[in-house]
Amino acid sequence: MGQAVSDWAASAGEALREGGYRRGGARRAVVELLADQHCCLTAQEIHDRLRATRRGVGIASVYRVLEQLVQLELVQRVEIGDGMTRYEPVHPDGVHHHHHVVCDDCGKVEAFSDDALERAIDSTAGRLGYEARHEVVLHGACADCRS
Amino acid sequence: MGQAVSDWAASAGEALREGGYRRGGARRAVVELLADQHCCLTAQEIHDRLRATRRGVGIASVYRVLEQLVQLELVQRVEIGDGMTRYEPVHPDGVHHHHHVVCDDCGKVEAFSDDALERAIDSTAGRLGYEARHEVVLHGACADCRS
DNA sequence: ATCAGTGCAAAACATTTGCAGCATG
DNA sequence: CATGCTGCAAATGTTTTGCACTGAT
């Protein structure tokens, strides 16, 4: 995982530089935090973690940086239906590509991946004439909540 | 389509009656509007259409009725990543079950369905121990926006 | 030095809730 | 005629924006 993490931080840094962005403190802090994540975080969670571990970053800057990263396709939005948008790094070449299962009782979010599902989605997207990124969200009750 | 539409309105009416709900004007208006839809609408769109075509229904009532219908599993929420929740009727036995493709340029939302994709999702959900409802959203650029 | 980047506070939205009056069963 | 339903307005929670100041190049 260390490899992919630093890969992402490196690509992100390069893309930002090429985009003409400066390496301000807030942007760097958000990128570094995201590089350590493998699953999605809300803007508020990012804000809280940054306040806890290093110089705090204003929530407005968190949103601004996330928006820029989404535009550069370095980060993708994930919506699981609880009114808050989550964000997670997108690794090049689909590495670490995954989807999410949400427990509608306790709100827990887990990641999963499945090759057969990916193939089915690719073939469907092709049929529709979209070469597209995609998002699958499963909703149900997790093992803990069913017991 | 006429068949499924009236089926849904009928099931909805019955479920609401059994749930002990009264047939107030706002609830009836929202159910009737939804019965004519095959794809998802935002609360605001529902509010606007009701104001245009019949006695207006307060936006608060629109949200209240939608919440009740979601609880009764007559309606499901759809999140396509633009900050607004959409709602669409759920037909019994998975009839008319579908997913959504969103054009990230113009915002157009289209429905699609694909049996192979459904089978892949069912099998994946089973493997994860979730018997779950699911939602697939494809994001890309539509034919119009690419030309 | 310049101009992008940042934090704060205020604004803008989507959604929810309190409440007093209305209407269904 | 009692209680659920409704609309309005206010509250809430998330995300965006205005603005003056800071800091990277």
Side-chain angles (χ1 to χ4, degrees):
Chain A
M1 129 179 177
Q3 189 54 51
V5 161
S6 44
D7 277 1
W8 184 81
S11 331
E14 188 176 347
L16 288 167
R17 216 174 309 123
E18 287 180 3
Y21 293 106
R22 295 181 182 178
R23 297 201 109 233
R27 182 172 301 135
R28 183 208 243 95
V30 171
V31 168
E32 284 179 5
L33 178 66
L34 282 174
D36 291 336
Q37 297 314 125
H38 40 35
C39 203
C40 49
L41 291 177
T42 65
Q44 191 62 57
E45 284 167 345
I46 293 169
H47 178 242
D48 290 344
R49 294 196 190 190
L50 289 176
R51 187 170 42 189
T53 60
R54 59 180 74 227
R55 182 197 72 201
V57 170
I59 187 79
S61 294
V62 171
Y63 279 109
R64 275 186 287 237
V65 171
L66 288 172
E67 174 62 24
Q68 293 160 356
L69 294 171
V70 168
Q71 291 306 316
L72 293 169
E73 299 188 11
L74 293 164
V75 160
Q76 68 181 348
R77 286 182 223 273
V78 176
E79 309 249 325
I80 64 168
D82 66 347
M84 279 172 296
T85 303
R86 277 146 223 269
Y87 301 84
E88 68 184 7
V90 177
H91 295 275
D93 301 320
V95 178
H96 288 200
H97 176 67
H98 63 270
H99 296 294
H100 301 93
V101 214
V102 181
C103 174
D104 289 331
D105 283 348
C106 67
K108 185 169 60 189
V109 182
E110 294 179 276
F112 73 87
S113 59
D114 187 292
D115 284 346
L117 177 56
E118 291 306 318
R119 284 193 297 273
I121 291 175
D122 287 345
S123 125
T124 302
R127 182 171 65 74
L128 295 168
Y130 272 70
E131 182 169 354
R133 111 186 155 69
H134 56 264
E135 197 175 303
V136 178
V137 180
L138 302 183
H139 287 267
C142 71
D144 289 349
C145 287
R146 267 175 309 180
S147 62
Chain B
M1 138 186 166
Q3 189 56 50
V5 163
S6 44
D7 276 0
W8 184 80
S11 332
E14 187 175 349
L16 288 167
R17 217 173 308 124
E18 287 180 2
Y21 294 107
R22 293 181 181 177
R23 300 199 106 235
R27 182 170 301 135
R28 184 211 242 92
V30 172
V31 168
E32 284 178 4
L33 177 66
L34 283 174
D36 291 336
Q37 298 315 125
H38 39 38
C39 203
C40 49
L41 290 177
T42 64
Q44 191 62 57
E45 284 167 344
I46 293 170
H47 179 241
D48 290 345
R49 294 198 190 188
L50 289 175
R51 187 170 41 190
T53 59
R54 59 180 76 225
R55 181 198 70 201
V57 170
I59 187 79
S61 294
V62 171
Y63 279 109
R64 274 187 287 238
V65 171
L66 288 172
E67 173 61 25
Q68 293 160 355
L69 294 171
V70 168
Q71 290 305 317
L72 293 169
E73 299 187 9
L74 294 162
V75 160
Q76 69 181 350
R77 287 182 222 272
V78 176
E79 309 250 324
I80 63 166
D82 67 347
M84 279 172 296
T85 304
R86 278 146 223 269
Y87 302 83
E88 68 184 7
V90 178
H91 295 276
D93 301 319
V95 178
H96 288 198
H97 176 68
H98 63 271
H99 297 293
H100 302 93
V101 212
V102 181
C103 174
D104 289 330
D105 283 348
C106 67
K108 184 169 60 187
V109 181
E110 294 179 276
F112 72 88
S113 59
D114 187 292
D115 285 346
L117 178 55
E118 291 305 317
R119 284 193 297 272
I121 290 174
D122 288 346
S123 126
T124 301
R127 181 171 66 73
L128 295 168
Y130 273 68
E131 182 170 355
R133 104 185 162 72
H134 56 263
E135 197 175 304
V136 178
V137 181
L138 301 184
H139 288 268
C142 70
D144 289 348
C145 287
R146 267 175 309 182
S147 61

